[in-house]
């Protein structure tokens, strides 16, 4: 699967309560921390003069709130929530220490045939989902702003 566009802007969501505790979030719908809310507002204000015409966001609260702050300063921009941009599903590891998640990612890098268990979304499925989301975003606009989690998709 190829990406049909070339240029996009990527914004990672602001800090959550679980980021503070270094917990794996995955598909858990975690709110931004107070610090995260302020940082998302500050960042959105810093983009006030940017030319943003299309915002595509993960529907998870942490990304959605960050995207809404940006949209506040660009109310005419197309705004789309897209499941494709949700963080990688980490199954039973969600809510556990992020350290376990990083260990699995390291193992995947060393062994391309490794398939994690515990309901974890496969790396190749995650990559395909992200690529499909990027293609969908490029159909909406040639230069979309993507607000998501930092998941390591390596597309």
């Amino acid at each position: 699967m190829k990406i049909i566009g070339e240029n996009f802007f990527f914004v990672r969501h602001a800090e959550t309560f679980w980021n503070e505790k270094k917990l794996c979030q995955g598909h858990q719908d975690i709110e931004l921390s107070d610090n995260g809310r302020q940082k998302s507002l500050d960042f959105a204000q810093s983009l006030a003069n940017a030319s943003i015409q299309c915002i595509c966001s993960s529907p998870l609260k942490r990304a959605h709130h960050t995207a809404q702050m940006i949209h506040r300063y660009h109310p005419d921009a197309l705004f789309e929530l897209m499941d494709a941009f949700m963080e990688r599903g980490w199954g039973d590891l969600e809510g556990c220490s992020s350290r376990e998640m990083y260990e699995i990612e390291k193992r995947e890098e060393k062994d391309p045939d490794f398939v994690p268990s515990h309901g974890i979304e496969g790396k190749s499925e995650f990559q395909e989902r992200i690529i499909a989301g990027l293609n969908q975003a490029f159909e909406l606009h040639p230069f979309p702003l993507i607000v998501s989690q930092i998941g390591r998709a390596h597309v």
Side-chain angles (χ1 to χ4, degrees):
M1 181 178 274
K2 291 187 174 190
I3 301 173
I4 61 172
E6 296 180 9
N7 299 299
F8 63 94
F9 299 97
F10 180 85
V11 175
R12 182 187 188 272
H13 67 79
E15 180 184 75
T16 69
F17 296 108
W18 281 22
N19 288 138
E20 292 173 351
K21 296 176 183 179
K22 297 184 176 21
L23 299 177
C24 175
Q25 297 177 94
H27 289 177
Q28 298 299 308
D29 208 5
I30 310 302
E31 296 276 354
L32 294 178
S33 64
D34 293 339
N35 183 49
R37 288 181 185 281
Q38 185 59 52
K39 294 267 182 172
S40 70
L41 178 59
D42 294 345
F43 182 72
Q45 288 172 336
S46 77
L47 294 178
N49 293 322
S51 177
I52 297 173
Q53 299 171 7
C54 178
I55 302 168
C56 298
S57 175
S58 160
L60 296 174
K61 292 175 187 173
R62 54 195 183 266
H64 186 192
H65 181 87
T66 302
Q68 285 176 314
M69 289 296 103
I70 296 167
H71 193 245
R72 179 185 292 177
Y73 291 91
H74 301 277
D76 295 332
L78 178 63
F79 188 93
E80 291 286 326
L81 294 178
M82 299 172 63
D83 288 347
F85 292 129
M86 289 175 59
E87 183 172 346
R88 183 177 180 183
W90 286 99
D92 294 345
L93 293 184
E94 294 180 9
C96 297
S97 169
S98 294
R99 184 176 25 110
E100 295 175 58
M101 172 186 72
Y102 296 131
E103 290 301 319
I104 288 175
E105 289 180 329
K106 285 180 193 174
R107 188 161 175 199
E108 289 173 326
E109 291 297 319
K110 290 179 183 175
D111 180 4
D113 296 323
F114 172 70
V115 177
S117 56
H118 307 291
I120 297 171
E121 181 179 15
K123 182 179 177 181
S124 61
E125 289 82 13
F126 176 57
Q127 290 171 332
E128 288 175 15
R129 176 165 58 82
I130 295 296
I131 290 170
L134 286 171
N135 287 332
Q136 192 177 3
F138 284 125
E139 289 174 5
L140 295 172
H141 193 274
F143 300 103
L145 182 138
I146 311 295
V147 184
S148 186
Q149 294 70 33
I150 197 163
R152 295 174 177 94
H154 300 289
V155 292

